[in-house]
Amino acid sequence: MKQKVVCVFPSLNIGGAEKALSFVANCCEQSGKVVHAIYLYNTTQSIQLNPSITKELICLQRKGNIFKLSLDKLCFLAKFRRRIVQIKPNLIIVFQSDITKAVVYSTLGLNIPIIGSERNDPTKFCKRLVSSYRWAYNRCDAVVYTLQGAMDFFKAGRKQLVIPNPAVSRLHGDAIRHNSDKGNIVSAG
Protein backbone atom coordinates (compact mmCIF):
# COMPACT_ATOMS: atom_id res chain seq x y z
CA MET A 1 0.00 0.00 0.00
CA LYS A 2 1.42 3.38 -1.03
CA GLN A 3 2.15 6.01 1.57
CA LYS A 4 -0.17 9.03 1.55
CA VAL A 5 1.08 12.57 2.03
CA VAL A 6 -1.09 15.65 2.50
CA CYS A 7 0.51 18.97 1.56
CA VAL A 8 -1.37 21.98 2.91
CA PHE A 9 -1.06 25.07 0.70
CA PRO A 10 -2.26 28.61 1.38
CA SER A 11 -3.39 28.72 -2.27
CA LEU A 12 -2.36 27.31 -5.62
CA ASN A 13 -1.27 30.74 -6.82
CA ILE A 14 2.41 31.60 -7.06
CA GLY A 15 4.03 32.65 -3.81
CA GLY A 16 7.20 31.73 -1.96
CA ALA A 17 5.63 29.07 0.26
CA GLU A 18 3.47 27.73 -2.55
CA LYS A 19 6.42 27.41 -4.93
CA ALA A 20 8.59 25.62 -2.37
CA LEU A 21 5.76 23.32 -1.25
CA SER A 22 4.85 22.45 -4.86
CA PHE A 23 8.46 21.32 -5.33
CA VAL A 24 8.13 19.08 -2.23
CA ALA A 25 4.71 17.74 -3.32
CA ASN A 26 5.97 16.91 -6.82
CA CYS A 27 9.06 15.16 -5.38
CA CYS A 28 6.86 13.10 -3.03
CA GLU A 29 4.63 12.09 -5.94
CA GLN A 30 7.63 11.20 -8.13
CA SER A 31 8.97 8.98 -5.34
CA GLY A 32 5.78 6.89 -5.47
CA LYS A 33 3.66 8.46 -2.74
CA VAL A 34 -0.01 9.36 -3.13
CA VAL A 35 -0.16 13.13 -2.68
CA HIS A 36 -3.17 15.24 -1.75
CA ALA A 37 -2.83 19.02 -2.07
CA ILE A 38 -5.29 20.79 0.21
CA TYR A 39 -5.46 24.55 -0.23
CA LEU A 40 -7.25 27.23 1.79
CA TYR A 41 -7.81 30.19 -0.50
CA ASN A 42 -9.50 29.91 -3.88
CA THR A 43 -7.29 31.68 -6.42
CA THR A 44 -6.21 31.00 -9.97
CA GLN A 45 -3.77 28.10 -10.07
CA SER A 46 -0.37 29.20 -11.29
CA ILE A 47 1.93 26.71 -9.55
CA GLN A 48 2.74 23.48 -11.35
CA LEU A 49 1.62 20.28 -9.65
CA ASN A 50 1.98 16.86 -11.24
CA PRO A 51 -1.34 15.76 -12.79
CA SER A 52 -1.75 12.77 -10.45
CA ILE A 53 -1.76 14.99 -7.35
CA THR A 54 -5.29 15.36 -6.00
CA LYS A 55 -6.20 19.01 -5.42
CA GLU A 56 -8.92 19.98 -2.95
CA LEU A 57 -10.14 23.32 -1.60
CA ILE A 58 -11.17 23.58 2.05
CA CYS A 59 -11.97 27.27 2.06
CA LEU A 60 -10.95 29.63 4.83
CA GLN A 61 -12.58 33.07 4.63
CA ARG A 62 -10.49 36.20 5.00
CA LYS A 63 -13.29 38.80 5.06
CA GLY A 64 -16.09 39.56 7.48
CA ASN A 65 -16.65 40.68 11.04
CA ILE A 66 -14.83 39.08 13.96
CA PHE A 67 -17.75 36.75 14.76
CA LYS A 68 -18.04 35.48 11.18
CA LEU A 69 -14.27 34.99 10.87
CA SER A 70 -14.11 33.11 14.20
CA LEU A 71 -17.02 30.87 13.22
CA ASP A 72 -15.44 30.21 9.83
CA LYS A 73 -12.14 29.22 11.49
CA LEU A 74 -13.96 26.69 13.68
CA CYS A 75 -15.80 25.30 10.64
CA PHE A 76 -12.52 25.07 8.76
CA LEU A 77 -10.87 23.15 11.61
CA ALA A 78 -13.77 20.66 11.69
CA LYS A 79 -13.84 20.22 7.87
CA PHE A 80 -10.08 19.81 7.70
CA ARG A 81 -10.05 17.24 10.51
CA ARG A 82 -12.90 15.29 8.90
CA ARG A 83 -11.04 15.22 5.58
CA ILE A 84 -7.76 14.13 7.21
CA VAL A 85 -9.60 11.28 8.97
CA GLN A 86 -10.99 10.21 5.55
CA ILE A 87 -7.65 10.39 3.73
CA LYS A 88 -5.67 8.71 6.55
CA PRO A 89 -2.31 10.20 5.53
CA ASN A 90 1.03 8.89 6.75
CA LEU A 91 2.38 12.45 6.83
CA ILE A 92 1.18 16.06 6.66
CA ILE A 93 3.52 18.73 5.29
CA VAL A 94 2.56 22.35 5.88
CA PHE A 95 4.35 25.64 5.22
CA GLN A 96 3.59 28.96 6.95
CA SER A 97 3.21 29.38 10.67
CA ASP A 98 -0.48 30.35 10.82
CA ILE A 99 -1.50 27.39 8.68
CA THR A 100 0.77 25.07 10.69
CA LYS A 101 -1.03 26.20 13.85
CA ALA A 102 -4.44 25.45 12.29
CA VAL A 103 -3.28 22.01 11.10
CA VAL A 104 -1.89 21.13 14.54
CA TYR A 105 -5.12 22.20 16.26
CA SER A 106 -7.33 20.28 13.87
CA THR A 107 -5.31 17.04 14.06
CA LEU A 108 -4.79 16.86 17.83
CA GLY A 109 -5.06 13.24 18.96
CA LEU A 110 -4.86 11.74 15.46
CA ASN A 111 -1.15 10.84 15.82
CA ILE A 112 -0.28 11.80 12.26
CA PRO A 113 3.29 13.08 11.84
CA ILE A 114 3.47 16.73 10.79
CA ILE A 115 6.37 18.54 9.18
CA GLY A 116 6.01 22.30 9.56
CA SER A 117 8.09 24.95 7.87
CA GLU A 118 8.76 28.56 8.77
CA ARG A 119 9.23 30.66 5.64
CA ASN A 120 9.22 34.16 7.15
CA ASP A 121 11.30 36.36 9.44
CA PRO A 122 9.83 35.48 12.86
CA THR A 123 11.21 38.64 14.49
CA LYS A 124 8.44 40.55 12.66
CA PHE A 125 5.64 38.62 14.47
CA CYS A 126 3.98 40.06 17.59
CA LYS A 127 4.70 38.26 20.90
CA ARG A 128 1.25 36.63 21.06
CA LEU A 129 1.70 35.12 17.60
CA VAL A 130 5.25 33.96 18.38
CA SER A 131 3.97 32.12 21.44
CA SER A 132 1.18 30.37 19.51
CA TYR A 133 3.47 29.52 16.59
CA ARG A 134 6.10 28.12 18.94
CA TRP A 135 3.35 25.99 20.57
CA ALA A 136 2.37 24.61 17.16
CA TYR A 137 5.95 23.98 16.01
CA ASN A 138 6.69 22.13 19.26
CA ARG A 139 3.91 19.69 18.35
CA CYS A 140 5.33 19.05 14.88
CA ASP A 141 7.53 16.01 14.39
CA ALA A 142 9.96 18.18 12.45
CA VAL A 143 10.29 21.84 11.56
CA VAL A 144 12.19 23.03 8.51
CA TYR A 145 13.59 26.55 8.40
CA THR A 146 15.14 28.36 5.45
CA LEU A 147 17.53 30.29 7.70
CA GLN A 148 19.56 29.47 10.80
CA GLY A 149 18.33 32.66 12.46
CA ALA A 150 14.70 31.52 12.29
CA MET A 151 15.62 28.15 13.78
CA ASP A 152 17.56 29.85 16.60
CA PHE A 153 14.59 32.17 17.21
CA PHE A 154 11.95 29.44 17.57
CA LYS A 155 14.00 26.56 18.96
CA ALA A 156 10.91 24.43 18.37
CA GLY A 157 10.04 21.03 16.99
CA ARG A 158 11.22 17.59 17.92
CA LYS A 159 13.65 17.75 15.03
CA GLN A 160 14.87 20.99 13.45
CA LEU A 161 16.56 21.43 10.10
CA VAL A 162 17.75 24.33 7.99
CA ILE A 163 17.12 23.66 4.31
CA PRO A 164 17.53 26.67 2.00
CA ASN A 165 15.06 27.09 -0.83
CA PRO A 166 16.03 25.02 -3.87
CA ALA A 167 17.14 26.66 -7.10
CA VAL A 168 14.94 24.99 -9.68
CA SER A 169 14.79 25.98 -13.30
CA ARG A 170 11.30 26.71 -14.57
CA LEU A 171 12.29 25.47 -18.02
CA HIS A 172 10.95 21.92 -18.32
CA GLY A 173 11.83 21.25 -14.65
CA ASP A 174 15.51 20.72 -15.48
CA ALA A 175 17.96 21.24 -12.66
CA ILE A 176 20.27 24.21 -12.99
CA ARG A 177 23.66 23.06 -14.16
CA HIS A 178 26.86 24.69 -13.02
CA ASN A 179 29.42 25.57 -15.66
CA SER A 180 32.82 26.08 -14.06
CA ASP A 181 34.20 27.82 -17.17
CA LYS A 182 31.67 30.65 -17.20
CA GLY A 183 29.73 32.66 -14.69
CA ASN A 184 26.17 31.68 -13.83
CA ILE A 185 23.21 34.02 -13.46
CA VAL A 186 21.58 32.96 -10.21
CA SER A 187 18.78 35.49 -10.14
CA ALA A 188 17.60 38.66 -11.83
CA GLY A 189 14.90 41.11 -10.93
Side-chain angles (χ1 to χ4, degrees):
M1 187 162 152
K2 287 187 174 184
Q3 286 192 329
K4 296 178 190 173
V5 176
V6 169
C7 294
V8 185
F9 289 81
S11 72
L12 297 181
N13 200 350
I14 197 71
E18 292 88 345
K19 187 171 76 170
L21 188 52
S22 67
F23 175 78
V24 171
N26 287 332
C27 287
C28 287
E29 186 273 335
Q30 289 167 356
S31 72
K33 293 169 180 51
V34 175
V35 179
H36 294 262
I38 294 178
Y39 58 104
L40 285 55
Y41 303 115
N42 195 10
T43 58
T44 304
Q45 180 177 344
S46 58
I47 60 169
Q48 297 299 314
L49 290 173
N50 295 344
S52 65
I53 294 176
T54 304
K55 295 176 275 305
E56 179 178 352
L57 172 66
I58 300 180
C59 197
L60 183 59
Q61 297 297 322
R62 291 190 269 193
K63 295 179 183 173
N65 63 38
I66 189 105
F67 177 75
K68 184 178 178 339
L69 288 173
S70 297
L71 184 61
D72 187 63
K73 284 180 183 178
L74 288 173
C75 289
F76 167 79
L77 294 174
K79 287 178 192 174
F80 185 83
R81 183 181 180 92
R82 193 169 34 249
R83 189 62 183 122
I84 291 301
V85 167
Q86 291 169 345
I87 295 171
K88 297 179 184 150
N90 301 93
L91 177 66
I92 299 173
I93 303 172
V94 55
F95 284 18
Q96 291 192 341
S97 41
D98 54 340
I99 300 172
T100 300
K101 183 173 70 171
V103 167
V104 168
Y105 273 126
S106 63
T107 59
L108 284 172
L110 296 180
N111 296 320
I112 299 169
I114 298 172
I115 297 175
S117 183
E118 180 56 60
R119 317 302 296 173
N120 296 305
D121 177 0
T123 62
K124 304 291 186 211
F125 300 143
C126 72
K127 286 183 181 182
R128 181 182 56 81
L129 288 178
V130 167
S131 177
S132 67
Y133 295 159
R134 186 173 282 126
W135 173 87
Y137 285 139
N138 275 318
R139 278 144 189 84
C140 290
D141 292 86
V143 182
V144 176
Y145 303 92
T146 54
L147 298 170
Q148 183 70 41
M151 186 171 84
D152 294 341
F153 180 86
F154 274 112
K155 296 182 179 122
R158 295 178 195 144
K159 183 174 184 178
Q160 299 184 91
L161 302 154
V162 173
I163 303 175
N165 283 327
V168 179
S169 170
R170 292 184 183 184
L171 302 174
H172 311 295
D174 294 334
I176 295 174
R177 291 178 180 80
H178 178 72
N179 184 333
S180 61
D181 298 335
K182 298 178 182 175
N184 290 297
I185 296 175
V186 177
S187 124

